[in-house]
Amino acid sequence: MKEVTILKFRSSKVNEFRLWGLLLTMGGMLLMILGLAGIVFDWGTAGRWVAVISMLVGAIAMLASMGIYFAAGMMSTSAIVIVCPECEKPTKMLGKTDRCMYCKTILSMDPAHAPNPPAGQAGAANETTAN
């Protein structure tokens, strides 16, 4: 049961890249805003250094997030669009296995990497192939 709950928090690869880009954007902006406290509250020379350092690190984080968003966009344009068998919505797939962007179902283009089907469906599939 514990493993199932952990897997539900996973998302598709494209959404994972977008999440990291968003976190870097928000973290960089928050760091730059908090760093300005050194100037706003007049902490003297040390406050100015805090502001300069936090502005530089925040700007680097913003540039890194821009690179991640660019890479995610490039991957998204070359991704294969398939229809999810669970929710029947079109989703983008990167690599051999990925997750649906909406219902987080594990998807695979390679039968060797496909998740195991439920026991009821496996028996039905074997009966139809035997006939």
Side-chain angles (χ1 to χ4, degrees):
M1 184 70 176
K2 184 178 181 183
E3 184 176 338
V4 173
T5 57
I6 291 172
L7 290 177
K8 279 293 183 183
F9 289 118
R10 297 290 311 244
S11 183
S12 68
K13 293 175 187 173
V14 174
N15 282 347
E16 291 283 331
F17 276 105
R18 291 176 182 159
L19 173 71
W20 282 106
L22 180 66
L23 288 175
L24 276 175
T25 300
M26 294 299 156
M29 287 189 335
L30 181 68
L31 188 62
M32 289 190 286
I33 290 170
L34 291 177
L36 285 177
I39 295 173
V40 171
F41 296 122
D42 196 23
W43 292 342
T45 307
R48 289 187 188 131
W49 280 108
V50 167
V52 167
I53 291 171
S54 66
M55 285 292 204
L56 287 175
V57 173
I60 291 170
M62 296 285 288
L63 287 173
S65 74
M66 184 179 68
I68 289 174
Y69 271 121
F70 180 76
M74 289 289 107
M75 285 189 291
S76 180
T77 58
S78 65
I80 300 169
V81 178
I82 60 172
V83 176
C84 176
E86 289 288 323
C87 64
E88 298 180 359
K89 293 181 182 177
T91 185
K92 295 181 179 182
M93 185 168 165
L94 294 174
K96 291 182 181 180
T97 61
D98 203 352
R99 291 184 177 264
C100 175
M101 297 172 84
Y102 305 99
C103 67
K104 297 178 179 52
T105 301
I106 298 173
L107 304 171
S108 176
M109 297 294 279
D110 186 9
H113 291 75
N116 295 329
Q121 291 179 358
N126 289 339
E127 290 174 9
T128 58
T129 56
N131 291 335

